[in-house]
Amino acid sequence: MSKPTWQEVAKIAQSHRDDSIRRVHPPIPEVPDQLPLDRTDVIKYLLSTEEVVITQTAPEDIVASLASGKYTSTTVTTAFLRRAGLAQALANCITELLPERAIARAKFLDEYLSKHGKPIGPLHGLPISVKEHLGMKDLGVNAGFVSWWDHKGVDDALVLKILWHAGCVFYARTTQPQTLMHLETSNNLYGVTVNPFNSQLTAGGSSGGEGALAALRGSCLGIGTDIGGSIRSPAANCGLYGLRPSSYRIPTSGMSATMGGQEQIVPVLGPLSTSLEGVKLFMKTVIDGKPWLIEPSLVPIPWRVQESYLTTPIGKKLKVGVIWHDGVVKPHPPVMRALQEVVDRLKDVQSVEIVDWKPYKHDEAWSIISHLYFCDGGQEETAAIEASGEPWRPLSNFILKDNQWVKKLTVEEIWHWTVKRESYRTEYARVWNDTATEASETGKLEGMVDVILCPVGPGAAPPLDCARYWGYTAQWNLLDYPALVFPVTKVDPVIDVEDQDYRPMNERDEYNHQLWKSGPEKYKGAPVSLQLVGRRYEDEKVIEAMDFITQSIGLPFVDFV
């Protein structure tokens, strides 16, 4: 029997997805034939009022309503299944829904609550969506490759087991790009995932399915992965909260990807959520599960909510270092406006100090991380693509074939670039330490910057196949700093005016500059987000700082639902 073509495999994959959506009950309504560029409001007119209210509720409030008995898990799960099915029709973000197992789980949880009078755990009945390459027993894990379509998860990923024991319901699996190494989401199995706020723009990547689904409120809490911006890019493009945690805090076992076992730039797993509390809920729940007892590479650090990182004898004090641009690629006017608005409001907060942060060799950082991403010269990625005969997607070409730093390294060269990585981390730590205003008699530094406020990317969500600058996200992967994305505002071409006197600094800056210059109107209404960054293993401090900033200046400045 002849091997199926890649087109035939893609047809099977899409039929499987479509069949999973058809099995949702009550049946999911059809979306209109003519759709606006901004599709975020369409679903509101296709679901019941109760379903709309439930799916637009923040995860922490859903958990409270489930625990109190206001809603049943079955009702909530059904609402999210139906909304996720509609999200697929609007943004192409789903690889499959799991209606039978999700409803069975929900019914079990309802019966448990009725029998015991209390929730089974902190996530009792909460629907959680999952990026496809996180293994689920006996379900596919193709990681965006046609040739991997028949790969199956041998077990549930450890993070999923922990969340399951905490009471959640898994109901949807979401799209990812070919190679998993795009800041967009397109592959030859399912096609292109688009941005719900503007379908001519990208939802981001590589966790773009999660981003688009949550933007359409087909999910309130989802799981993504990040090795160069893959949680933060879709969170930013889709107006969500997304955390890239420090490495080795959240378990990654059970994840399907090429180059398994490489330790030069390790991927991390983290949440995308419609609320900041959702990010906290995910992190606390997973780390409270003590995953290091099963996955020994993880650091045995509990989730430290019992202490404040900002409290001083005179109250809370926060010192924020601001990166206006990284010295390589200047962000578009909407990002600069968002940054300026946040900084201006923070300057009016008495307990906040704002200082400028001078980027330290961010161009060199990209050269280091690019060498270490593909130490085999991209051989495994290439083999996985070419095994099926599928075509190379434009951004696969960009990151592998057009990337001057990609080459097969000898063992000695890997050592060399790993030493360069560590030296750069040491130098950056010194830069951070130099922000201290004084040192105690014992040498303890005081008055250092607490967090860095910076862009997430060089613009709002770019047009499809144009996300070609990783510097604002990959920088923090190289340093292994926790980074939290948060929504701020939306693009308004009327006020986001180009600086006519600006002259690009280099070829990459010119490319980005032309994206905006060629037509600001194409970005109209796109979310504009920023990023808060902390030192390694100060994840809790970053979240506390974000909470404090949000309460102090009233973020976000516009509504996203």
Side-chain angles (χ1 to χ4, degrees), residues 178-195:
Q178 181 187 63
T179 75
L180 294 169
M181 295 294 285
H182 302 187
L183 292 184
E184 299 191 21
T185 298
S186 69
N187 62 58
N188 293 315
L189 285 166
Y190 305 103
V192 179
T193 300
V194 299
N195 193 310

Side-chain angles (χ1 to χ4, degrees), residues 287-306:
I287 292 176
D288 281 355
K290 298 184 177 180
W292 53 83
L293 296 177
I294 299 170
E295 194 171 313
S297 63
L298 302 179
V299 291
I301 302 176
W303 188 247
R304 298 160 292 187
V305 292
Q306 71 281 3

Side-chain angles (χ1 to χ4, degrees), residues 438-478:
E438 60 181 296
S440 69
E441 292 180 357
T442 60
K444 183 180 178 181
L445 298 175
E446 303 287 352
M448 284 187 293
V449 160
D450 293 296
V451 289
I452 296 171
L453 175 66
C454 60
V456 193
L464 300 172
D465 293 326
C466 292
R468 294 169 185 253
Y469 186 67
W470 295 30
Y472 285 102
T473 49
Q475 173 72 25
W476 314 118
N477 293 84
L478 179 67

Side-chain angles (χ1 to χ4, degrees), residues 276-277 280 316 484 532 541-552:
L276 179 59
E277 288 296 323
K280 293 185 199 175
K316 285 197 173 183
L484 176 63
L532 206 63
K541 183 177 184 178
V542 170
I543 290 176
E544 184 185 1
M546 185 73 256
D547 213 356
F548 181 58
I549 290 171
T550 299
Q551 293 177 30
S552 298

Side-chain angles (χ1 to χ4, degrees), residues 16 44 56 69 99 119 124 144 165 170 192 256 298 348 383 388 398 475 494 501 504 512 533 539 542 561:
H16 174 80
K44 296 177 185 178
Q56 292 182 187
H124 181 100
H165 289 309
F170 298 121
V192 179
S256 177
L298 302 179
D348 291 334
S388 68
F398 163 73
Q475 173 72 25
V494 174
D501 297 326
N512 186 64
V533 179
D539 307 58
V542 170
V561 177

